[in-house]
Amino acid sequence: MSDEGLSHFDASGKAHMVDVSGKEITSRVAVAEGHIVMSPATLARVEEGRAEKGDVLGTARLAGIMAAKRTSDLIPLCHPLPITKVALELVTDPALSGVRITATVKTTGQTGVEMEALTAVSVAALTVYDMTKAVQKDMEIGGIRLVLKEGGKSGRYRRAAGRVLAQPVTARLTQPPFAASAMDGYAIWGGAIATGDSFDVIGEAQAGRGFEGTLSKGQAVRIFTGAPVPKGSELVVIQEDVDRVGDQITVKGSLGEGDNIRPAGGDFLKGAEFAAPRLLKPADVALLAAMNIAEVPVYRRPEIAIISTGDELVQPGEEPGPDQIIASNAYGLAALIEAQGGIPRLLPIARDDRASLEMVFDLAKGADLVVTIGGASVGDYDLVGQVAAERGMDRAFYKVAMRPGKPLMAGRLDGAMMIGLPGNPVSAMVCGTVFLVPVTRAMLGLGAAPAPRVQLALAEPVEANGPREHYMRARIAQGRIAAAKRQDSALLSVLASADALLIRPPHDPARGTGEKVEAILL
């Protein structure tokens, strides 16, 4: 086996640390993941805090964070780096019968932090094992892998789609940089020809290798799509319109319209501006690459922690007890956030006690936005607002005159924005559409704006509305909108079948078929 190209070996075959002093200092991020599988009984001990050695998840999180920061001490040939952030998430997963671990590490430096992220996951998994091995020794650690590496000079275009361009960029060249053939055929001297004209073929031009000479009267060059048009030619005749015998062609039949030449700069000119902010589509990425933009400046994706609350909740895949239901809201909101470009962090379910809420709020630290689901109402076990206030939450408002979704609150907590959503499934998803989506877009750099509305004609009448703005689940057919017959805020099946929210203003009178109403498209 040859050592050629292995950057950590010198000429004599000895291992050495790669010199990164010539590399550009850039923001870099790496995300790694892994898991540890255990018996359901052991997992229950971890979830309920009954492990003999204490808080397994909290301790493993701290151990992983500390290990990430000391990776250069633990692993040879790793550069010591100024770590700017380590976020470690440990989530119990009944379907796996174990704990899933995700680490995000950030730095501003000259090399990446993938080893730091992998170290954090590995040490966290080992810590979970060490703290629970007294009850089970055959646990399995696996799936440790790097899932994202960003920063530096490599791979930026592959991750630009779906991101928001942070600042305008300008084309570094003209495209095409020369007049190019739009077809396979023959570049003819001059620009005026007629059926029966003959020309001597004196050379060939192909993409990447043009014809260097200049055409004279009666001459032609065989040319292929994308090749530079030679000097002296103002017309490309497609190959189907000529007969060739040896090195001579004769124009036949009726000639098509146009010169079959793409002019220099026909796509864009050097210095052309690509405006920002802009949510980048795949076609935008292709255009930026064609403009020879070496790196695409994009806004950072916001990390949004999602906390479900309530003793009645169990994770999908678990068998709910007689008084329990599945925690579905968090997964719907995570999908909503991901679709907008945010990074959702699903945290463990917070039970209806202060200690559990405190622990999960601690796990949410480092997020840009914390979203709680349930527990913000006025019941005896609705503790989210109380615990958040005790932790110093600066509340902006509580309750909104809308349905579904009245018990909604917002403010700032532990340096992050916080939104408390109602616990009813439809209420949470509707409020996610009305409030969470615009907030996510604003954090992505797309500006502050409410969810866009459209006007549609009613397919059937609606009754007068009450004192709160009503977001009715509805269907659109043939350009008209009809509210669903059932509007209970617990009916996810109705929401799933809807493709719009029909908006009724407060005290809006009854409306008849054909009248215009506002709606938010889903």
Side-chain angles (χ1 to χ4, degrees):
M1 177 180 174
S2 171
D3 289 340
E4 183 179 355
L6 298 178
S7 59
H8 286 74
F9 288 87
D10 60 20
S12 66
K14 294 181 179 179
H16 70 99
M17 189 175 289
V18 174
D19 180 13
V20 297
S21 60
K23 292 187 176 182
E24 182 181 354
I25 297 175
T26 60
S27 296
R28 300 164 187 261
V29 61
V31 179
E33 68 180 14
H35 61 256
I36 177 168
V37 179
M38 58 193 69
S39 70
T42 305
L43 182 61
R45 283 176 174 264
V46 171
E47 287 184 313
E48 297 165 10
R50 294 188 289 110
E52 292 182 5
K53 292 188 176 182
D55 179 5
V56 175
L57 300 180
T59 304
R61 178 175 178 270
L62 292 175
I65 291 172
M66 292 172 62
K69 294 180 177 179
R70 299 193 61 183
T71 298
S72 61
D73 296 331
L74 299 172
I75 301 179
L77 308 182
C78 281
H79 292 271
L81 294 171
I83 303 298
T84 56
K85 179 178 180 180
V86 182
L88 195 61
E89 181 180 316
L90 291 93
V91 179
T92 57
D93 184 348
L96 173 73
S97 189
V99 179
R100 295 192 183 276
I101 306 168
T102 305
T104 302
V105 182
K106 298 180 180 180
T107 187
T108 301
Q110 295 168 297
T111 188
V113 283
E114 55 268 33
M115 289 305 300
E116 285 74 7
L118 291 165
T119 299
V121 171
S122 302
V123 170
L126 288 169
T127 303
V128 172
Y129 178 88
D130 181 61
M131 294 187 70
T132 51
K133 65 184 180 183
V135 294
Q136 184 184 354
K137 288 186 170 59
D138 61 346
M139 291 175 283
E140 294 183 7
I141 294 174
I144 297 177
R145 66 189 185 102
L146 188 70
V147 295
L148 175 67
K149 176 186 175 185
E150 254 184 19
K153 290 283 188 180
S154 62
R156 297 298 290 274
Y157 286 110
R158 295 188 63 184
R159 289 182 290 273
R163 304 289 291 273
V164 177
L165 188 68
Q167 62 191 50
V169 293
T170 54
R172 300 180 62 198
L173 45 71
T174 292
Q175 177 71 11
F178 44 75
S181 177
M183 306 290 285
D184 292 342
Y186 295 86
I188 304 297
W189 175 84
I193 60 171
T195 300
D197 288 352
S198 295
F199 299 87
D200 294 325
V201 180
I202 62 170
E204 184 176 279
Q206 57 183 303
R209 190 167 64 215
F211 178 77
E212 296 182 357
T214 301
L215 291 180
S216 299
K217 185 176 182 179
Q219 293 180 331
V221 164
R222 177 73 166 119
I223 195 167
F224 298 92
T225 302
V229 176
K231 294 177 182 178
S233 174
E234 298 176 12
L235 175 68
V236 171
V237 180
I238 63 173
Q239 57 193 15
E240 292 84 358
D241 286 343
V242 302
D243 287 324
R244 178 167 179 171
V245 178
D247 287 334
Q248 189 175 70
I249 58 170
T250 301
V251 178
K252 65 177 183 178
S254 58
L255 298 172
E257 296 182 0
D259 56 16
N260 298 316
I261 294 175
R262 296 170 180 153
D267 196 354
F268 56 82
L269 298 173
K270 182 177 182 179
E273 183 176 278
F274 193 97
R278 179 186 178 103
L279 184 64
L280 296 175
K281 307 184 299 293
D284 296 328
V285 175
L287 177 57
L288 290 166
M291 287 179 163
N292 201 20
I293 308 299
E295 291 188 345
V296 183
V298 295
Y299 282 107
R300 181 175 63 83
R301 296 171 65 193
E303 294 181 15
I304 301 175
I306 303 174
I307 302 172
S308 297
T309 66
D311 287 341
E312 74 277 13
L313 300 178
V314 297
Q315 295 286 4
E318 291 187 50
E319 190 66 34
D323 302 317
Q324 293 183 308
I325 59 173
I326 303 298
S328 59
N329 295 347
Y331 295 92
L333 292 170
L336 201 63
I337 290 164
E338 211 158 31
Q340 299 303 316
I343 302 174
R345 283 171 48 192
L346 285 167
L347 299 184
I349 295 170
R351 300 305 171 187
D352 288 327
D353 63 76
R354 293 177 183 275
S356 180
L357 275 169
E358 290 278 7
M359 182 193 74
V360 180
F361 274 133
D362 284 340
L363 292 175
K365 286 182 178 178
D368 300 293
L369 170 62
V370 178
V371 177
T372 61
I373 309 168
S377 193
V378 293
D380 291 343
Y381 297 99
D382 293 323
L383 302 175
V384 171
Q386 298 175 37
V387 174
E390 291 166 6
R391 294 174 68 96
M393 178 186 180
D394 180 13
R395 194 168 75 182
F397 64 84
Y398 172 58
K399 293 186 180 179
V400 179
M402 65 179 288
R403 54 186 292 223
K406 179 182 176 181
L408 184 141
M409 67 178 177
R412 296 195 65 82
L413 177 66
D414 294 331
M417 184 179 179
M418 177 179 166
I419 297 178
L421 300 180
N424 273 331
V426 175
S427 300
M429 292 300 294
V430 168
C431 288
T433 301
V434 176
F435 297 103
L436 188 54
V437 167
V439 168
T440 303
R441 289 176 60 83
M443 297 177 87
L444 283 164
L446 290 170
R453 300 183 177 193
V454 297
Q455 282 206 335
L456 294 166
L458 283 170
E460 55 189 49
V462 290
E463 296 178 355
N465 189 35
R468 290 186 282 160
E469 188 162 70
H470 194 181
Y471 293 81
M472 305 178 75
R473 280 65 73 201
R475 292 281 301 169
I476 299 172
Q478 299 179 332
R480 295 195 167 204
I481 189 168
K485 302 301 181 186
R486 298 188 299 163
Q487 293 291 326
D488 190 309
S489 61
L491 303 179
L492 273 176
S493 59
V494 176
L495 178 64
S497 66
D499 51 19
L501 296 175
L502 191 163
I503 304 169
R504 304 295 312 284
H507 305 291
D508 193 43
R511 299 286 178 181
T513 300
E515 289 194 63
K516 291 292 185 71
V517 292
E518 289 191 322
I520 296 174
L521 303 181
L522 299 177

